[in-house]
Amino acid sequence: MKVNKRIDELIKETTQVIDPHRQFYKIRFEDNSMDFAFQWALGCIRNGGGEIGEMFCTAAQIEDYNPDSWAEEWPKIAHRVEKRAQTAEAEGHKISAREFYMRAAGYYRAALTSLLPRNEKYMEWYEKSMECFSKAGALSDPEIELIRVPFEDTYLPGCFIKAATSEQKSKTIIAIGGAETFFMDLYFQIGPSAIKRGYNFITVDIPGQGILPAEAQFFRPDTEKPIGAILDYAYSRPEVDTNLIAAYGISGGGYYVPRASAYDKRIKACISNCAVTNIGKIMGEMAIQNQKAANGIKMSAFNVRMFQIMAWRHGIATDDIPGLLNKTSAFAFNPSLITCPVLNICSNGEYLNPAIKAMEDDFMQSLPNLNKKMIVALFEDGGGTHCLGENTGLLSALVFDWLDEVLKSEGINI
């Protein structure tokens, strides 16, 4: 692909320094991390998580590089859209109400991207996002059912959408997010695409995700345990064909899901976007390469805020970003233990980095099942950025077309 000077510099930079959120084309903000977050939000439009006019109007009010400005502006549009939802619902316009509630949920959630959890508004905006999502779900067809999955001495929040209106058993995909996500994000990324293709859709926050750190549920290396609890829940649903359960993980979920697949054979197909076999190693490489890089990548206040939130999610002080190196040192697994078919998707931008490329290549080579596939999503296809968040249509096609084919190849009638 012919690139301009700015893109060429960013591509060169990403070969030197690991930054999964590296943006390769400017949409609105000079702050690369802020522009990435905006690009990710725009990717939710396809599945009802936003409207381009509302989002660009909001972005125009946000001060570049200022994480507080970001957190202040999104609730404003969320409130306006929520009011429209309430009016539409009161007047009996259920479809309009559903769409307004869904967008309001996405906007309230967007505010949390750069808001420290100790901020008094954090819980307020979280609860508003869930309230709007719940109302949208109740007005949806099929209904988006909010669920609580029993786990140890507590519950994990999520949602379940059944594929068929009848009571027939259907194939199912479990979607797990990354180090900064809420289960709602997975709905906006691929949920409706799953339903269109006849899959039940389940997405649940595991410890460390969503609001769970506020309940002292932090990220832990043994992700097969919380994901095992989600599988237990899936087995309890009469709509789920237990021979047709796939698991999909994005970003940090590229560790959480493959790790679970290595230990829990109820997962019949594993999709990573993209694979992370050793989170501590990647964290270490990020630190080392940042120090070695000729110019380095200076972290903006917005980027620092995101790392502070990640520290909170791992159970360490928000000002102890270096502590993430030690905290994630045990997050590793052996991919040769994964015996089910595997699809691994990696964005072009990430695959350019030698350390990430080496991890992806080693992951694929270590998988024992010959029914495995690696896809590098290209810049020219509009899918070159982290987890293809900017092109959920392409992502859905890659995931579900492969999944349909692999289930057939395994002799399963779908």
Side-chain angles (χ1 to χ4, degrees):
M1 180 180 71
K2 186 177 180 181
V3 296
N4 62 30
K5 182 178 180 181
R6 180 178 185 274
I7 294 175
D8 188 57
E9 289 175 351
L10 288 169
I11 289 175
K12 181 179 179 181
E13 197 173 68
T14 204
T15 64
Q16 300 173 326
V17 181
I18 294 178
D19 180 7
H21 292 177
R22 178 58 45 189
Q23 183 79 319
F24 296 93
Y25 27 77
K26 177 184 174 183
I27 299 174
R28 158 66 180 87
F29 299 101
E30 292 296 333
D31 184 327
N32 184 82
S33 293
M34 186 176 280
D35 211 45
F36 169 80
F38 185 52
Q39 167 264 131
W40 187 273
L42 290 172
C44 298
I45 290 174
R46 179 175 180 268
N47 292 322
E51 190 61 73
I52 194 165
E54 295 163 354
M55 299 175 84
F56 271 95
C57 182
T58 299
Q61 312 307 314
I62 297 173
E63 180 185 345
D64 219 333
Y65 297 98
N66 186 339
D68 294 326
S69 178
W70 174 282
E72 289 166 1
E73 293 300 329
W74 286 107
K76 294 178 183 177
I77 188 62
H79 182 68
R80 289 179 62 85
V81 174
E82 182 187 12
K83 284 289 188 182
R84 287 189 176 274
Q86 292 167 346
T87 299
E89 185 177 23
E91 295 175 351
H93 305 302
K94 292 185 178 181
I95 294 176
S96 296
R98 178 201 176 277
E99 292 179 352
F100 284 132
Y101 277 130
M102 194 62 81
R103 298 209 300 274
Y107 300 152
Y108 280 124
R109 184 270 174 266
L112 303 178
T113 298
S114 67
L115 195 64
L116 285 174
R118 63 173 175 262
N119 189 298
E120 61 181 9
K121 291 292 185 181
Y122 191 90
M123 188 60 72
E124 180 180 348
W125 298 147
Y126 168 75
E127 291 175 348
K128 290 293 290 183
S129 72
M130 290 308 305
E131 178 185 350
C132 290
F133 188 75
S134 177
K135 289 180 178 179
L139 293 167
S140 297
D141 185 17
E143 179 183 357
I144 302 171
E145 179 185 347
L146 294 186
I147 61 174
R148 296 201 305 168
V149 174
F151 176 63
E152 296 180 348
D153 59 350
T154 185
Y155 293 90
L156 306 176
C159 70
F160 176 91
I161 313 171
K162 66 178 183 178
T165 55
S166 68
E167 294 304 313
Q168 71 181 50
K169 293 182 180 295
S170 300
K171 52 193 176 181
T172 300
I173 186 166
I174 297 171
I176 303 295
E180 299 152 299
T181 61
F182 294 75
F183 73 80
M184 185 188 304
D185 301 337
L186 278 296
Y187 171 82
F188 287 135
Q189 193 187 54
I190 66 164
S193 295
I195 303 306
K196 290 175 184 176
R197 290 167 169 85
Y199 286 81
N200 296 317
F201 180 74
I202 303 175
T203 181
V204 177
D205 284 333
I206 64 173
Q209 296 175 340
I211 204 66
L212 291 175
E215 302 172 9
Q217 292 197 68
F218 307 113
F219 280 118
R220 46 193 282 181
D222 58 344
T223 55
E224 65 275 10
K225 292 183 179 177
I227 294 177
I230 300 168
L231 286 160
D232 291 342
Y233 175 83
Y235 266 59
S236 75
R237 299 287 308 217
E239 306 93 339
V240 172
D241 186 334
T242 56
N243 292 313
L244 296 173
I245 298 178
Y248 165 72
I250 65 168
S251 193
Y255 167 85
Y256 314 142
V257 165
R259 159 108 189 197
S261 301
Y263 295 103
D264 198 319
K265 303 308 176 181
R266 291 177 293 179
I267 297 173
K268 304 303 182 183
C270 169
I271 306 109
S272 52
N273 182 10
C274 57
V276 184
T277 56
N278 189 322
I279 294 179
K281 182 177 181 180
I282 289 296
M283 284 285 184
E285 290 282 356
M286 288 173 70
I288 292 170
Q289 290 189 40
N290 269 299
Q291 291 173 358
K292 286 184 176 180
N295 299 315
I297 292 180
K298 294 181 179 179
M299 292 177 66
S300 69
F302 188 89
N303 201 14
V304 169
R305 184 69 59 82
M306 295 177 78
F307 270 95
Q308 289 176 317
I309 296 170
M310 193 183 301
W312 172 71
R313 295 189 174 282
H314 283 83
I316 59 179
T318 56
D319 59 353
D320 186 19
I321 294 175
L324 286 167
L325 292 173
N326 179 62
K327 196 67 177 180
T328 59
S329 61
F331 286 67
F333 72 95
N334 181 357
S336 69
L337 298 177
I338 303 173
T339 55
C340 67
V342 174
L343 171 65
N344 185 33
I345 302 171
C346 189
S347 70
N348 203 162
E350 292 173 280
Y351 198 64
L352 284 170
N353 183 272
I356 291 179
K357 182 180 186 301
M359 185 169 288
E360 302 310 302
D361 293 346
D362 179 70
F363 174 75
M364 295 304 300
Q365 292 166 10
S366 300
L367 296 170
N369 193 322
L370 296 180
N371 204 338
K372 57 185 176 180
K373 185 176 184 179
M374 170 91 179
I375 297 175
V376 177
L378 302 177
F379 290 118
E380 48 264 51
D381 289 328
T385 307
H386 186 56
C387 295
L388 284 71
E390 76 274 44
N391 195 338
T392 57
L394 172 62
L395 174 63
S396 294
L398 296 178
V399 169
F400 291 106
D401 291 356
W402 175 84
L403 193 51
D404 282 348
E405 290 172 6
V406 83
L407 292 177
K408 288 178 182 178
S409 71
E410 292 289 297
I412 301 172
N413 183 15
I414 61 171

